[in-house]
Amino acid sequence: EPEVTQTPSHQVTQMGQEVILRCVPISNHLYFYWYRQILGQKVEFLVSFYNNEISEKSEIFDDQFSVERPDGSNFTLKIRSTKLEDSAMYFCASSDPITGEQYFGPGTRLTVT
Amino acid sequence: AQSVTQPDIHITVSEGASLELRCNYSYGATPYLFWYVQSPGQGLQLLLKYFSGDTLVQGIKGFEAEFKRSQSSFNLRKPSVHWSDAAEYFCAVGTNTGNQFYFGTGTSLTVIP
């Protein structure tokens, strides 16, 4: 069964550094998403991406964040100048073009020190 | 605005006992409804989903959920809980454009012998 993959599984970075989280969505999916889950809290929507542009974004997704689909398979989330409060699990998802169901990747745990 | 409420932050049940986790949603149109389970340090696993049709849906691991439009609810049930069911459970509503998920705050389930 096709699945969404994410790399790395765990990323440790120093405050102020830039990180890029990578995702490979399911190949025939058209919408892609990033979510964030701070430890012990709920999963929060960050951004959705369709047709090579941002479709929707939340208040969390400010100028510090950007997304890109650099080629036909990868979907990346870049966080510039990371802050301690960016430490969280970041989930990528892609949605079935017919049902709209979202399929989640296993997540990348980002730790900012 | 769309929202999902899980009124129970934490539930403890005895192994073998029945379980019901509550979920209420707010959405103007017909929602797509989901339950996900998350074990510690793991990603989100889909338990079941409702798009249309029969309001009682069956999922994996013996879970079921019932969509009640009049109550704006989608409660998750299991007749007999196993120790391995201890995890965090998230209810989510998806828009019919497939563009975004809204998650509840989660219910943490503890199973005692």
Side-chain angles (χ1 to χ4, degrees), chain A residues 4-8 20-26 29-35 45-56 61 66-78 90-95 103 108:
Chain A
V4 177
T5 59
Q6 291 185 242
T7 55
I20 297 176
L21 310 183
R22 291 183 168 79
C23 168
V24 179
I26 295 173
H29 288 185
L30 304 176
Y31 273 94
F32 315 118
Y33 311 82
W34 283 102
Y35 292 83
F45 169 76
L46 291 178
V47 65
S48 62
F49 190 85
Y50 173 74
N51 200 27
N52 282 320
E53 60 183 28
I54 290 174
S55 178
E56 288 185 52
F61 194 87
S66 63
V67 289
E68 190 178 31
R69 188 157 164 83
D71 53 44
S73 60
N74 289 284
F75 177 53
T76 63
L77 174 69
K78 182 187 290 185
Y90 289 81
F91 293 104
C92 173
S94 65
S95 62
Y103 292 76
T108 293

Side-chain angles (χ1 to χ4, degrees), chain A residues 31 33 35 37 40-45 48-50 55-58 89 91 95 98-107 109, chain B residues 4 6 32 34 36 38 40-46 49 51 88 90 92 94-106:
Chain A
Y31 273 94
Y33 311 82
Y35 292 83
Q37 185 183 31
Q41 298 186 25
K42 70 175 178 179
V43 179
E44 301 172 291
F45 169 76
S48 62
F49 190 85
Y50 173 74
S55 178
E56 288 185 52
K57 61 181 181 179
S58 71
M89 183 75 96
F91 293 104
S95 62
I98 296 174
T99 66
E101 177 183 345
Q102 294 191 16
Y103 292 76
F104 286 81
R109 179 168 298 283
Chain B
V4 179
Q6 292 180 249
Y32 294 168
F34 306 82
Y36 286 86
Q38 185 181 35
Q42 302 297 310
L44 297 164
Q45 182 182 21
L46 180 68
K49 61 193 177 192
F51 286 165
E88 189 86 14
F90 291 94
T95 65
N96 55 13
T97 60
N99 213 21
Q100 192 176 144
F101 266 28
Y102 298 88
F103 282 86
T105 50

